[in-house]
Amino acid sequence: MEKRDFRIKAVAIRKANKRIGEKHILKNVSFDIFMDEILALIGPNGAGKTTTIRCISGIYKIDSGDVEKNHNLRISVMSEKDFLWEGDSGYKNIERVYRYFEGKLSKEKINHYSEKLGLKEFLEKKVHTYSKGTKRKLSFLLALLPDPDLLILDEPMSGLDPISRINMREMIKELKKMGKSVLITSHDLAEVEKLADRFVLIKDGKILADDLIWDILSKYQTLEQLFIDMVKEGKS
């Protein structure tokens, strides 16, 4: 894959277009995801964030353009919705995902992440007894089981209490230190602001800005201020 500033691209998206039915969802979308970074894809509701994620992960095929992935790139997705076996325990969910989706994470790592998330005490219980936040934490753990090179997180902290948010944030940063790439979408701009190295802003299926870094954002007090200004103006 192409390098820039000695960074390796995990995924390069070029002029990607996607229609669902008669609706043109993605319109010439282009941006890069680098290894060893946390990238935030932000935008208003209906902007095309989830469709972009599905095109990167391979759930959707793009109609035109290219989605080029680094050789043997392992991708795992934590969806906005929790797809869990509600009638089974947390442990049983882990066993199933590990078996059917080629789990690679060691038992030591699984225990480490379970404890870090404050999840271990719940794993013997049936998932239908879990709170929304506990289900999100289990979904996060399941997404880690393939030991992905690129971890895609769609609204990962929805329903989490403040301590759990801090713990998950620390884990995401830990993954970056391990050389992983993380793509995160969230409506919680204050949370994203604490995590991301770089931001891509999408609106109406078009990229308004694709390489927002903190040097460029310095004139804005918060990411929320930038978001509101750019979405209103519809320009970079």
Side-chain angles (χ1 to χ4, degrees):
M1 293 285 284
E2 180 184 351
K3 292 185 179 181
R4 188 186 77 178
D5 298 331
F6 303 105
R7 292 185 295 171
I8 300 174
K9 290 181 182 179
V11 179
I13 305 157
R14 294 291 177 268
K15 297 183 178 179
N17 285 274
K18 177 64 183 176
R19 290 180 179 272
I20 299 177
E22 296 183 355
K23 192 170 182 180
H24 195 174
I25 307 295
L26 300 184
K27 305 164 187 174
N28 292 317
V29 166
S30 297
F31 65 92
D32 298 318
I33 306 171
F34 292 93
M35 298 302 297
D36 189 26
E37 80 163 349
I38 302 170
L39 175 66
L41 179 64
I42 59 175
N45 290 334
K49 299 186 297 297
T50 298
T51 300
T52 301
I53 284 174
R54 290 175 178 173
C55 289
I56 292 170
S57 66
I59 295 174
Y60 288 165
K61 290 186 177 180
I62 59 173
D63 300 322
S64 63
D66 292 296
V67 179
E68 184 183 357
K69 300 172 187 177
N70 204 331
H71 183 61
N72 291 330
L73 185 77
R74 292 195 305 274
I75 299 176
S76 188
V77 180
M78 177 185 176
S79 176
E80 182 179 5
K81 295 182 179 180
D82 298 302
F83 295 103
L84 303 168
W85 288 274
E86 297 269 344
D88 289 330
S89 68
Y91 279 125
K92 188 66 176 179
N93 274 259
I94 292 170
E95 289 174 8
R96 285 187 172 185
V97 171
Y98 203 92
R99 185 184 312 124
Y100 295 129
F101 296 95
E102 299 183 3
K104 297 183 183 301
L105 212 61
S106 68
K107 288 183 179 180
E108 290 77 16
K109 277 289 186 182
I110 293 172
N111 287 332
H112 167 71
Y113 290 140
S114 297
E115 290 177 358
K116 187 79 174 176
L117 287 166
L119 186 59
K120 198 156 188 176
E121 63 183 287
F122 298 97
L123 292 180
E124 292 183 354
K125 299 177 182 178
K126 299 289 182 70
V127 170
H128 70 80
T129 67
Y130 288 10
S131 67
K132 168 65 175 175
T134 303
K135 288 179 181 179
R136 292 309 281 159
K137 288 188 276 190
L138 179 59
S139 292
F140 182 75
L141 179 61
L142 297 182
L144 294 177
L145 294 182
D147 194 18
D149 304 302
L150 170 59
L151 179 63
I152 299 176
L153 304 173
D154 195 358
E155 299 290 345
M157 298 190 187
S158 174
L160 296 187
D161 61 74
I163 298 298
S164 295
R165 283 171 175 255
I166 292 170
N167 291 338
M168 189 176 288
R169 194 188 311 144
E170 289 177 353
M171 288 178 64
I172 292 170
K173 290 180 178 179
E174 182 180 322
L175 292 168
K176 177 195 167 182
K177 289 179 181 178
M178 295 166 58
K180 309 289 187 181
S181 179
V182 180
L183 174 62
I184 183 170
T185 73
S186 178
H187 292 105
D188 188 342
L189 297 182
E191 190 63 51
V192 168
E193 191 172 9
K194 296 170 186 172
L195 267 174
D197 303 305
R198 194 163 57 91
F199 308 90
V200 172
L201 178 58
I202 186 171
K203 181 188 177 187
D204 297 328
K206 297 179 181 178
I207 300 298
L208 297 186
D210 80 343
D211 202 15
L212 294 170
I213 55 177
W214 286 112
D215 288 346
I216 297 172
L217 302 179
S218 59
K219 68 177 181 177
Y220 294 94
Q221 291 184 347
T222 65
L223 180 60
E224 183 178 55
Q225 181 189 350
L226 166 77
F227 179 88
I228 292 170
D229 287 354
M230 294 191 73
V231 167
K232 281 182 177 179
E233 294 174 7
K235 64 182 182 179
S236 57

